[in-house]
Amino acid sequence: MINERFVARLSQLRMEKGVSARDMSLSLGQSAGYINNIENKNNLPSMAAFFDICEYLSISPKDFFDFDSPNPEQLNDIIQDLQCLSKEKVSHISAIIKDMK
């Protein structure tokens, strides 16, 4: 079910960020148990709260639901860094990545 995938993804991304459910809840301006209640399948966030969660995790809503991407925040950082490089340097990095696959 999507609820289970949502909860698993939230937990995964929160742990990758290295933050407790309590600290994340308080950072979002919610009660201390807010994220725990979501992760324990007691509640789902409102749409506005979901956008706040994504902002807190430094990802887009699209990234949140890209279940095949284990670390979207890091990938977004890499993409931003790549955008500052010349076309030649990006080609070199692309070749390195292809060689590593």
Side-chain angles (χ1 to χ4, degrees), residues 73-90:
E73 182 180 12
Q74 187 176 23
L75 291 175
N76 287 336
D77 289 343
I78 291 169
I79 289 168
Q80 283 184 329
D81 290 341
L82 288 172
Q83 290 173 336
C84 299
L85 299 178
S86 69
K87 185 176 181 178
E88 181 182 344
K89 289 181 180 180
V90 171

Side-chain angles (χ1 to χ4, degrees), residues 23-88:
D23 288 343
M24 183 174 173
S25 297
L26 296 174
S27 293
L28 292 169
Q30 300 290 336
S31 68
Y34 178 71
I35 295 297
N36 265 335
N37 282 333
I38 295 171
E39 291 182 354
N40 290 326
K41 303 176 189 168
N42 295 326
N43 293 327
L44 285 174
S46 68
M47 187 63 75
F50 171 67
F51 288 137
D52 291 340
I53 288 169
C54 289
E55 184 176 327
Y56 177 82
L57 295 170
S58 301
I59 61 171
S60 71
K62 178 183 177 286
D63 292 331
F64 186 95
F65 289 107
D66 184 359
F67 298 118
D68 294 328
S69 179
N71 51 0
E73 182 180 12
Q74 187 176 23
L75 291 175
N76 287 336
D77 289 343
I78 291 169
I79 289 168
Q80 283 184 329
D81 290 341
L82 288 172
Q83 290 173 336
C84 299
L85 299 178
S86 69
K87 185 176 181 178
E88 181 182 344

Side-chain angles (χ1 to χ4, degrees), residues 91-101:
S91 293
H92 290 309
I93 292 172
S94 178
I96 290 168
I97 291 169
K98 287 179 181 173
D99 185 53
M100 292 175 76
K101 288 166 71 177

